[in-house]
Amino acid sequence: MAGDEKYLTKIAALLRQAESTDNAHEAEAFMAAAQRLATATSIDLAVARAHTAKAERRTAPVAKRIEIGEAGKRGLRTYVQLFLAVGLTNDLKCDIARNSTYVIAYGFPSDIDVSEALYASLVIQMVRASDLYLRSGAYRDETVLVRERNERGRLVTVRKAVHGTTARVSFQLAFAARIGERLQQARAAEVREITARDSASTGTALALTEKALEVTEAYQQLSTARGSWSGYSSSGRTSQSAARAGRRAADSARLGGAPELPAGRRQVGA
């Protein structure tokens, strides 16, 4: 309809302004304005992006290096796991440095910006929550069975108290995994809502599919990664109590405070 065309053009213009400015505050303001107008008119941002592409080439997927931390810093692998949980939900593909000091994210600039902002908030919450848990000393009541060599050089199974490092890693890995589940659940719910709401769902599905293909093609062209990231490797020692605490902390973590999620997805947990 003519009215929809008018609003599509307005939303598309706001998205172009959000994606073209180098000022983070301006970008957030334009993106928020686009989301408010999209919500008020029941027009999905992905549809608006596709509308823009009919008249002119919209912003293409890019590669951006995201610093995770300095080499040798504790917890880098768990931080990477958290970034991946956020980035994958926002349509990013990622390459990870062997030492986990940085991630190269591939995707549309607005999706990368949203992922960075959400990760920056969540990693602070994760570290704060794990520090509080460790200070509580709750993990000290737990023991684990480990394999180690005795004084004769033979492998034996012994029961040992959970170490603080083991508790921290278990807590943070569980936190990251649960955040990923929450974000995926929120995204799935949003897609179902759009699909059930009106006929625009067909255009939304097509726009999201085209977007995913563009990111995949850009990744194939831009990525120079060889091999695969090993993730977190340990001696097999885990703390079940710390993992349960990490999931509980993730359940109460605030997912808001970042710019509005692109592609029609609202802020989660705000």
Side-chain angles (χ1 to χ4, degrees):
M1 295 188 298
D4 284 347
E5 185 76 14
K6 178 181 69 174
Y7 288 119
L8 276 169
T9 301
K10 287 184 178 180
I11 295 169
L14 288 167
L15 289 173
R16 286 199 304 274
Q17 288 176 293
E19 294 171 352
S20 62
T21 181
D22 292 328
N23 186 301
H25 296 295
E26 287 184 358
E28 181 175 350
F30 285 131
M31 185 66 72
Q35 182 67 71
R36 285 194 297 271
L37 183 56
T39 300
T41 56
S42 296
I43 294 173
D44 192 83
L45 292 188
V47 175
R49 287 177 182 275
H51 174 78
T52 305
K54 294 178 182 179
E56 60 181 274
R57 179 68 176 177
R58 74 165 186 251
T59 302
V62 299
K64 182 176 181 180
R65 175 167 164 157
I66 313 297
E67 300 297 332
I68 299 298
E70 298 179 357
K73 179 180 175 62
R74 290 190 306 176
L76 291 184
R77 289 180 183 269
T78 59
Y79 295 177
V80 169
Q81 293 284 9
L82 180 61
F83 184 88
L84 292 178
V86 174
L88 293 178
T89 309
N90 284 288
D91 304 313
L92 303 185
K93 290 186 176 296
C94 299
D95 288 335
I96 302 100
R98 288 185 180 277
N99 61 0
S100 303
T101 55
Y102 65 87
V103 169
I104 299 178
Y106 303 84
F108 285 95
S110 58
D111 292 333
I112 294 176
D113 289 345
V114 166
S115 297
E116 280 193 277
L118 187 51
Y119 166 77
S121 171
L122 285 169
V123 74
I124 291 173
Q125 295 181 67
M126 181 178 77
V127 171
R128 182 185 298 127
S130 63
D131 285 345
L132 285 173
Y133 174 76
L134 289 173
R135 284 200 293 271
S136 75
Y139 67 94
R140 296 193 182 101
D141 295 330
E142 184 180 5
T143 59
V144 291
L145 292 174
V146 298
R147 294 279 287 172
E148 64 179 30
R149 295 190 181 277
N150 62 15
E151 63 278 4
R152 297 180 180 179
R154 295 178 181 177
L155 278 174
V156 294
T157 300
V158 297
R159 183 171 292 278
K160 287 194 169 186
V162 169
H163 192 276
T165 299
T166 298
R168 182 185 296 276
V169 169
S170 298
F171 184 104
Q172 294 184 352
L173 287 177
F175 183 100
R178 180 58 186 146
I179 288 296
E181 292 171 4
R182 286 183 61 190
L183 292 174
Q184 291 291 346
Q185 289 165 359
R187 174 170 179 152
E190 181 70 10
V191 171
R192 288 195 300 270
E193 180 182 331
I194 293 173
T195 301
R197 188 175 59 202
D198 50 37
S199 59
S201 61
T202 302
T204 297
L206 179 60
L208 291 174
T209 299
E210 291 177 346
K211 175 185 176 185
L213 288 174
E214 284 187 72
V215 173
T216 297
E217 291 174 357
Y219 177 76
Q220 292 171 343
Q221 294 172 1
L222 299 172
S223 176
T224 59
R226 296 293 181 269
S228 59
W229 185 63
S230 60
Y232 182 80
S233 58
S234 71
S235 60
R237 303 181 188 184
T238 59
S239 169
Q240 296 301 320
S241 60
R244 288 192 295 270
R247 289 182 65 85
R248 288 195 300 270
D251 280 333
S252 61
R254 183 173 181 271
L255 303 184
E260 298 288 345
L261 297 183
R265 300 195 297 281
R266 294 188 291 270
Q267 278 187 311
V268 183

